[in-house]
Amino acid sequence: MYTNVHIPENGEAITIENGLLRVPNHPIIPFIEGDGIGVDVTPAMLMVVDAAVSKAYGSDRQIHWMEVYAGEKATQIYDSETWLPEETLEVFKQFKVGIKGPLTTPVGGGMRSLNVALRQVLDLYVCQRPVQWFTGVPTPVKKPSEVNMVVFRENSEDIYSGIEYQAGSEQAQKLISFLQSEMGVNNIRFTDLCGVGIKPVSKEGSQRLVRKAIQYAIDHDRASVTLVHKGNIMKYTEGAFKEWGYELAKEEFSAQLLNGGPWYKIENPKNGREIIIKDVIADSMLQQMLLRPAEYDVIATLNLNGDYLSDALSAQVGGIGIAPGANIGEKIAIFEATHGTAPKYAGLNKVNPSSVILSAEMMLRHMGWVEAADLLLKGISGAINAKTVTYDFERLMEGATLVTCSQFGECIIENM
Ligand SMILES: NC(=O)C1=CN([C@@H]2O[C@H](COP(=O)(O)OP(=O)(O)OC[C@H]3O[C@@H](n4cnc5c(N)ncnc54)[C@H](OP(=O)(O)O)[C@@H]3O)[C@@H](O)[C@H]2O)C=CC1
Ligand SMILES: O=C(O)CCC(=O)C(=O)O
Ligand SMILES: [Mg+2]
């Protein structure tokens, strides 16, 4: 059925029945190794997850990994022009849950992001990135334990839509002329060589993201949902995101004004506790999360803000080496590290594999395999407490033992 993807014989596909994920005891999980440090972190992740599943369930459960291709490896397996094979997309549609390493995107030209393409083509509209401190991880802030936020980043719209035209191109000139002659725009300062980008933000796209963020707060007993936007400047995109977010909170979750406004509150139907729905302008949020992190919990924001916020927040808990993530749609979920391909470290067996391992922890929880997920957390905490860590932590930690990427994986297993 597939050309270069070999379906494991003894595994079964995860399916969706009556809207719920049905996970067999021997699920087939597709994975993309990833470019750059993908060759280092992905094998470590596979090894650690297999060990956790085996420890949790013995021979009753096992993941049957199935490699699918994207990025440079796809060009080697398929042909030099094929970066994201059609069958990779088909596999994710068929098998529902997958995981990936990072993929390279050239800067300033060349092809558009494969990571973004996967999210858009498969409509994985939630990018969920939890940011939490593990005791003992060295960080630049004084109270990293106060950071416990979950970023819900809109993953399908905003300037990541890729509607962008190069300065001097016929399309850019045409668009500028249209804006001037038809739309009354008279403040594009240097029209001769001017790139143009368009930022689509829809009501439906904004509200489905905010709905997931509020539902997460309800399901996980969180204290607040903060809508982060730059609506003072981008009124009809970022500002509309905020308005539509509050509107949804009122219409679907019966939000009421909090102390006369401007913020709102809802009652958690599961336990009666109050969840505050508030908003903060994005630049202010960047200082708030450093100065007053304990006041923020679930964050709902647009694509670019979410990209910036998730890297900045991860620095507060030790860096992107330990920041996981997931791209989630109605039916399909692909888990992935927050970091990129870190090309200078590629193949050196040096970097921290925790980001993709914690992404796998999210994946196991999504599958309902909570015992294995808990073992991954226990293993990572244990390895950090034993101060056997990769270079990124070792350079900031007194008395630590430096280990390689794969050795860190082994330390995690020893500490499960
Ligand atoms: N989802 C994805 O696939 C993503 C892909 N990318 C792509 O990756 C490429 C490189 O992007 P770049 O901006 O350099 O960002 P990277 O995240 O790849 O690397 C930036 C820095 O972060 C640190 N870092 C990254 N990963 C780890 C890790 N596992 N362990 C420890 N430290 C880590 C390193 O810091 P130090 O130098 O201090 O050691 C590294 O130099 C680009 O092509 C970009 O488009 C970027 C982000 C996400
Ligand atoms: O797709 C890329 O190359 C970068 C994406 C990114 O930075 C992210 O999703 O966090
Ligand atoms: Mg990013």
Side-chain angles (χ1 to χ4, degrees), residues 244-265:
W244 288 326
Y246 278 133
E247 182 186 291
L248 174 112
K250 282 185 275 182
E251 286 177 1
E252 294 188 15
F253 296 93
S254 308
Q256 306 285 322
L257 277 179
L258 174 74
N259 304 329
W263 293 352
Y264 284 78
K265 61 179 178 183

Side-chain angles (χ1 to χ4, degrees), residues 60 66 72 93 97 110 158 168 183 193 213 225 261 266 277 324 347 354 360 370 414:
D60 289 347
M66 175 169 69
E72 281 157 32
K93 286 180 196 162
V97 175
D158 200 352
M183 306 294 285
L193 269 183
V225 176
I266 63 172
I277 313 289
S354 298
V370 289
E414 279 163 27

Side-chain angles (χ1 to χ4, degrees), residues 386-390 393-403:
K387 295 194 173 186
T388 45
V389 289
T390 45
F393 290 176
E394 191 266 348
R395 68 188 169 187
L396 298 169
M397 217 184 221
E398 264 177 45
T401 306
L402 177 66
V403 297

Side-chain angles (χ1 to χ4, degrees), residues 58-77:
S59 56
D60 289 347
R61 289 184 183 174
Q62 188 195 345
I63 291 176
H64 295 258
W65 298 105
M66 175 169 69
E67 183 162 12
V68 295
Y69 303 96
E72 281 157 32
K73 205 163 177 181
T75 65
Q76 290 153 14
I77 303 268

Side-chain angles (χ1 to χ4, degrees), residues 102-103 105 115 320 336 339-342 344-345 352 391-392 395:
L103 295 167
T105 312
N115 308 300
I320 41 183
E336 76 173 344
H339 61 71
T341 55
K344 67 183 176 187
Y345 296 126
N352 192 337
Y391 85 96
D392 50 330
R395 68 188 169 187

Side-chain angles (χ1 to χ4, degrees), residues 195-221:
V196 199
I198 290 184
K199 178 182 171 81
V201 175
S202 69
K203 179 173 179 178
E204 192 174 339
S206 300
Q207 290 197 332
R208 66 181 183 170
L209 184 272
V210 175
R211 182 181 296 116
K212 288 287 184 196
I214 296 179
Q215 192 57 51
Y216 179 94
I218 290 171
D219 293 342
H220 296 83
D221 193 17

Side-chain angles (χ1 to χ4, degrees), residues 72-286:
E72 281 157 32
K73 205 163 177 181
T75 65
Q76 290 153 14
I77 303 268
Y78 292 80
D79 61 73
S80 59
E81 300 299 313
T82 302
W83 294 85
L84 184 55
E86 197 53 42
E87 66 180 20
T88 294
L89 298 167
E90 288 308 314
V91 164
F92 286 122
K93 286 180 196 162
Q94 184 184 347
F95 290 88
K96 310 289 184 255
V97 175
I99 187 160
K100 67 177 276 294
L103 295 167
T104 302
T105 312
V107 175
M111 66 174 176
R112 294 206 168 271
S113 165
L114 302 171
N115 308 300
V116 172
L118 270 168
R119 298 165 192 167
Q120 289 181 348
V121 175
L122 299 173
D123 201 23
L124 308 175
Y125 62 89
V126 175
C127 179
Q128 188 181 325
R129 292 182 167 174
V131 189
Q132 198 178 356
W133 184 61
F134 278 79
T135 305
V137 171
T139 92
V141 299
K142 288 185 183 148
K143 293 184 180 167
S145 60
E146 290 190 348
V147 181
N148 184 359
M149 299 181 214
V150 185
V151 177
F152 278 72
R153 162 190 177 192
E154 203 293 319
N155 223 7
S156 67
E157 300 193 310
D158 200 352
I159 51 173
Y160 288 66
S161 299
I163 310 168
E164 204 192 14
Y165 301 104
Q166 193 172 16
S169 67
E170 196 189 326
Q171 295 99 319
Q173 290 313 120
K174 214 168 172 175
L175 194 50
I176 291 169
S177 301
F178 170 78
L179 290 171
Q180 289 175 322
S181 61
E182 304 284 324
M183 306 294 285
V185 173
N186 57 16
N187 57 353
I188 303 177
R189 200 156 290 192
F190 305 110
T191 51
D192 276 357
L193 269 183
C194 180
V196 199
I198 290 184
K199 178 182 171 81
V201 175
S202 69
K203 179 173 179 178
E204 192 174 339
S206 300
Q207 290 197 332
R208 66 181 183 170
L209 184 272
V210 175
R211 182 181 296 116
K212 288 287 184 196
I214 296 179
Q215 192 57 51
Y216 179 94
I218 290 171
D219 293 342
H220 296 83
D221 193 17
R222 308 292 294 229
S224 67
V225 176
T226 305
L227 307 170
V228 176
H229 59 86
K230 187 68 185 173
N232 47 345
I233 303 299
M234 292 168 272
K235 296 175 191 299
Y236 306 125
T237 51
E238 302 262 340
F241 173 81
K242 177 197 111 173
E243 297 302 332
W244 288 326
Y246 278 133
E247 182 186 291
L248 174 112
K250 282 185 275 182
E251 286 177 1
E252 294 188 15
F253 296 93
S254 308
Q256 306 285 322
L257 277 179
L258 174 74
N259 304 329
W263 293 352
Y264 284 78
K265 61 179 178 183
I266 63 172
E267 187 182 292
N268 189 330
K270 298 197 168 170
N271 56 24
R273 275 201 275 272
E274 194 172 86
I275 300 174
I276 294 171
I277 313 289
K278 54 185 171 177
D279 74 278
V280 176
I281 294 177
D283 45 353
S284 171
M285 184 65 195
L286 284 162

